[in-house]
Amino acid sequence: MGSSVRKTSAKIKKLLKETIDLNPTVDCKEVIPQVAEQTLRSRKTKAYFGDKDFAVLAGGGFACFKKAKEIGFDSFLQEYNIATDKLTIIEVQKVIETILDKIEDENGEIDSIMILSAFQSTMTKMLLNKLDEPEEFLNSFCQIFITMVIREDASEELTTAFKNATVDELNKNIEEFALNYVHEKFSQLINQCNKGEIQIEELIKKMQEKLGKVKE
């Protein structure tokens, strides 16, 4: 994996150098999609999507919101002794911790900090906004996770290449790419999963295929 990571980093640096040499005034927004695609084709990214924690948390969150959708958001929260009008960030964190405890009791401990962070961020967003669509959970989980993967692999190179761009500007463009990528590559598959046409395991396998052929 180490060699794969170095190769991806080298490719990103080469891509940025060639692009900026050709057009010194190029905006980061124009380059980030190319950099992001390079990151998502790497063995490392495919490995992340193949991690058992990804399947466990994607499936766990999906199941939560399927239930919330079936019984109603208010009834779902009542199972955690919380009233919808009393929902605060503190109460949301308690719900998430309870859900995680149950997931780990059934599947073992979650080892990946990044996948766990993506799950917690997605759950927080869903609960605070009183969203109960399981399809929305999977779309958001993938968007947030892909954003984190790109930041981890490419932030240093992008910051070095675009010294005048702020961190917020770079992050905004990475988030926009992730949103469009998930909509284009994954949304149809997620919809199939939501309809029960494919299971979570098959969904993730098809997502890995959509990431593109590994180019090392």
Side-chain angles (χ1 to χ4, degrees):
M1 185 68 74
S3 177
S4 172
V5 171
R6 287 195 299 273
K7 286 180 180 177
T8 300
S9 178
K11 287 178 180 178
I12 290 172
K13 287 177 182 176
K14 183 173 183 288
L15 171 62
L16 287 169
K17 184 179 184 306
E18 289 176 349
T19 303
I20 293 170
D21 284 349
L22 191 65
N23 181 8
T25 62
V26 67
D27 190 273
C28 63
K29 184 174 183 177
E30 298 174 53
V31 184
I32 281 175
Q34 300 172 61
V35 171
E37 288 277 5
Q38 188 70 61
T39 297
L40 296 180
R41 285 198 298 265
S42 71
R43 292 184 189 278
K44 180 181 176 184
T45 300
K46 280 205 167 189
Y48 273 138
F49 273 80
D51 192 306
K52 65 97 177 168
D53 288 345
F54 187 84
V56 165
L57 292 179
F62 181 67
C64 277
F65 289 105
K66 276 195 77 172
K67 184 174 184 179
K69 184 69 175 176
E70 288 168 3
I71 68 176
F73 193 80
D74 291 351
S75 297
F76 176 74
L77 285 183
Q78 284 171 10
E79 293 193 353
Y80 300 91
N81 299 314
I82 297 170
T84 306
D85 60 352
K86 303 291 185 184
L87 193 63
T88 65
I89 186 66
I90 293 173
E91 298 298 336
V92 162
Q93 295 310 314
K94 289 178 183 176
V95 172
I96 295 172
E97 285 304 311
T98 303
I99 290 169
L100 280 169
D101 285 343
K102 184 179 179 183
I103 289 173
E104 290 193 323
D105 284 345
E106 294 174 355
N107 301 278
E109 290 188 7
I110 303 299
D111 297 318
S112 172
I113 293 173
M114 189 159 68
I115 297 173
L116 176 61
S117 179
F119 176 82
Q120 291 170 320
S121 295
T122 308
M123 293 294 288
T124 300
K125 171 188 171 184
M126 293 287 292
L127 293 170
L128 280 180
N129 289 288
K130 300 178 176 61
L131 303 173
D132 62 3
E133 290 288 348
E135 192 170 351
E136 174 67 20
F137 167 79
L138 288 177
N139 274 298
S140 293
F141 180 53
C142 289
Q143 288 165 18
I144 290 171
F145 183 62
I146 283 174
T147 298
M148 288 180 173
V149 170
I150 295 168
R151 283 177 182 161
E152 182 185 60
D153 277 8
S155 282
E156 185 178 342
E157 284 80 5
L158 287 167
T159 302
T160 301
F162 296 99
K163 291 183 172 60
N164 293 327
T166 65
V167 173
D168 284 346
E169 184 180 358
L170 293 173
N171 284 339
K172 181 182 176 183
N173 286 310
I174 291 171
E175 288 167 5
E176 185 177 331
F177 169 86
L179 177 70
N180 293 332
Y181 187 91
V182 170
H183 177 73
E184 179 185 339
K185 302 280 189 179
F186 296 162
S187 287
Q188 186 175 350
L189 293 171
I190 288 171
N191 182 254
Q192 288 180 303
C193 183
N194 192 45
K195 290 178 179 178
E197 296 171 2
I198 59 176
Q199 300 303 307
I200 284 287
E201 293 77 14
E202 187 177 356
L203 169 66
I204 293 171
K205 182 180 178 182
K206 289 180 178 293
M207 283 179 175
Q208 286 179 288
E209 293 169 359
K210 288 278 188 180
L211 289 170
K213 185 179 178 182
V214 175
K215 296 181 180 179
E216 300 293 3

